[in-house]
Amino acid sequence: MRVLFSAWAWPPHYYPMVPLAWALRNAGHEIRVAGPPALAEAITMSGQPAVEVGEDCDFSQLTRDTMHIDRDAPATVELWKQLRKPKGERALQMFVDIAETMVDGLVEFARAWEPDLVVHGPTTYAGPIAAAAVGVPNVRVLMAPDIAYRGRDIEPVVLRPLAERFGVTEFSPQGTLTVDPCPPSIQLPTDYPKQLMRYIAYNGPAEVPQWLLEPPSRRRVCITWGTTLAKVNPNLVLAGQMLEAVAGIDAEVVVTVAPSHREHLGPIPDGIRVVDALPLHLLLPSCDLMIHQGGNGTTMTGVVNGVPQLIVPQFPDQAFVANQLAPTGAAAVLLPEDAGPDTVRGLVTDLLENPKWRDDARRLADEANAQPAPTEIVPVLERLAAREHAAV
């Protein structure tokens, strides 16, 4: 079986599909991963063959335009409130614009290679169009709670002009099948065909540092702020503010940050360990708490490792993920305008001292890790492809 994976040029939107790609490849199937040129390195570093399609786009600028934010705008209460407002069709149009940059190349490659399945992320809209153009099923792999489901009625309308370019009149943005790595307790109720899958955290390649091989002598707190916010507006990066708040607590604090984003941390308090882009799937198993902005991969990596979380959401998707997670008791949510040093320090102390947070986080991890491994759903995808071939 030939399986074509596709993602747009932002590695966190590709990473959740990597374990499934390896499961299929280890079962003997042929894999290609297609994406814009800027994604090629992330694909090949994950051990998969990359196919460059389309053109790169400036995702940071697209985000600024969608959010109506200047790159140098100061972080004010008014800005936080503006950023968290749902963007609806504006956000959807941003992903349609991204699809526009790669759909021609993706369809051209799909027609030449003739895959049996097309696998894509929830906002890689070129994927379902390419699948329909070559008459094969498309499998959508979620990253976290399905925020795209709220736009299910609008997606076909805004994507139709792209689809018609290739003679496609019927296509499914939600997939012939959706692969869902979320434990049901944090997922929205949905009505589409679904296959649950265990979330296997992959946050990019790395070497394990020597210090991480030793068990921590104290409780360990991870602070991370992703890569998106610094590129959109450095003033949105609150990792330095969190560092200031937790300095002096009885815990080892580790900050993982892209090397180019170190400057946004500000002065580093004594006793804080700052590491360059250490993938969370290596760090979090040793942690007792994580503090972050609510990115999909960050949150889900915390979930499967049973780590209590303090989430300070800044964008609508981050607020959505945080609000889905908070009722489980595995996370506390604090708005940026409320995240003063005393408030953060008090909440961090409770998250570390009160066993309720740890117990609830571990309960959620047990639910997540009880779902089928990627290797177990390979036969489901094989049957899906065979059924569609038989129907032709």
Side-chain angles (χ1 to χ4, degrees):
M1 183 169 72
R2 288 182 169 185
V3 185
L4 173 58
F5 283 73
S6 182
W8 54 275
W10 208 252
H13 286 252
Y14 164 61
Y15 289 160
M17 296 187 287
V18 170
L20 182 57
W22 268 112
L24 285 159
R25 188 168 175 181
N26 288 341
H29 299 296
E30 197 172 353
I31 304 299
R32 296 290 185 273
V33 183
L39 191 64
E41 182 178 10
I43 296 169
T44 56
M45 290 296 285
S46 75
Q48 299 296 345
V51 177
E52 294 185 8
V53 296
E55 303 172 351
D56 291 327
C57 63
D58 188 342
F59 177 62
S60 299
Q61 187 59 52
L62 282 173
T63 302
R64 282 191 289 270
D65 293 342
T66 300
M67 306 293 283
H68 292 168
I69 178 176
D70 185 87
R71 190 183 187 280
D72 301 312
T76 63
V77 172
E78 292 72 21
L79 179 61
W80 297 130
K81 291 180 178 179
Q82 171 196 327
L83 292 182
R84 286 197 307 272
K85 289 180 180 177
K87 300 302 183 287
E89 290 191 44
R90 286 215 312 275
L92 185 57
Q93 185 59 50
M94 177 178 71
F95 294 114
V96 174
D97 291 343
I98 292 172
E100 174 78 42
T101 68
M102 61 183 289
V103 67
D104 292 276
L106 186 62
V107 170
E108 180 181 4
F109 175 74
R111 285 174 170 167
W113 194 57
E114 298 182 343
D116 300 289
L117 286 176
V118 175
V119 181
H120 57 89
T123 56
T124 303
Y125 289 131
I129 294 173
V134 295
V136 300
N138 63 303
V139 176
R140 185 177 67 133
V141 180
L142 299 181
M143 304 182 293
D146 190 4
I147 190 171
Y149 185 68
R150 303 192 300 190
R152 62 192 180 279
D153 295 329
I154 307 173
E155 286 176 329
V157 176
V158 297
L159 288 169
R160 187 165 292 120
L162 280 185
E164 289 176 346
R165 182 188 301 174
F166 307 99
V168 169
T169 56
E170 297 291 332
F171 59 98
S172 177
Q174 292 183 32
T176 311
L177 178 71
T178 288
V179 172
D180 186 359
C182 280
S185 61
I186 66 172
Q187 187 56 278
L188 292 175
T190 57
D191 59 1
Y192 44 67
K194 176 187 296 188
Q195 170 61 54
L196 296 179
M197 182 183 76
R198 187 185 315 165
Y199 186 89
I200 306 296
Y202 172 77
N203 314 110
E207 296 181 11
V208 180
Q210 187 65 35
W211 61 267
L212 195 55
L213 301 177
E214 302 292 333
S217 58
R218 296 187 294 164
R219 295 171 299 186
R220 180 172 285 164
V221 176
C222 165
I223 298 178
T224 182
W225 228 258
T227 58
T228 302
L229 292 169
K231 294 179 180 180
V232 173
N233 180 333
N235 297 322
L236 304 180
V237 179
L238 300 184
Q241 183 175 320
M242 299 299 113
L243 277 178
E244 180 185 351
V246 302
I249 66 169
D250 184 19
E252 176 191 0
V253 178
V254 180
V255 185
T256 176
V257 63
S260 60
H261 296 170
R262 269 184 178 247
E263 62 182 295
H264 306 312
L265 295 178
I268 307 298
D270 292 339
I272 303 294
R273 187 191 298 271
V274 179
V275 295
D276 290 339
L278 179 62
L280 293 176
H281 68 267
L282 298 179
L283 175 60
L284 287 184
S286 69
C287 291
D288 301 278
L289 172 66
M290 58 185 300
I291 304 172
H292 61 99
Q293 84 288 12
N296 290 320
T298 302
T299 302
M300 289 298 296
T301 305
V303 165
V304 297
N305 281 286
V307 181
Q309 306 185 37
L310 171 56
I311 304 177
V312 186
Q314 293 154 274
F315 284 0
D317 60 323
Q318 297 166 357
F320 172 77
V321 169
N323 290 335
Q324 292 297 115
L325 187 60
T328 68
V333 179
L334 198 59
L335 298 180
E337 58 266 34
D338 299 327
D342 292 341
T343 302
V344 172
R345 190 176 298 112
L347 194 47
V348 165
T349 300
D350 186 55
L351 284 158
L352 289 172
E353 300 288 348
N354 188 339
K356 165 195 142 355
W357 297 103
R358 182 185 65 249
D359 293 345
D360 286 343
R362 290 178 178 173
R363 189 177 302 112
L364 183 62
D366 289 342
E367 181 187 352
N369 292 322
Q371 298 188 160
T375 52
E376 296 176 79
I377 76 163
V378 168
V380 175
L381 302 186
E382 291 170 338
R383 289 193 295 269
L384 176 63
R387 186 184 74 211
E388 294 295 323
H389 276 303
V392 174

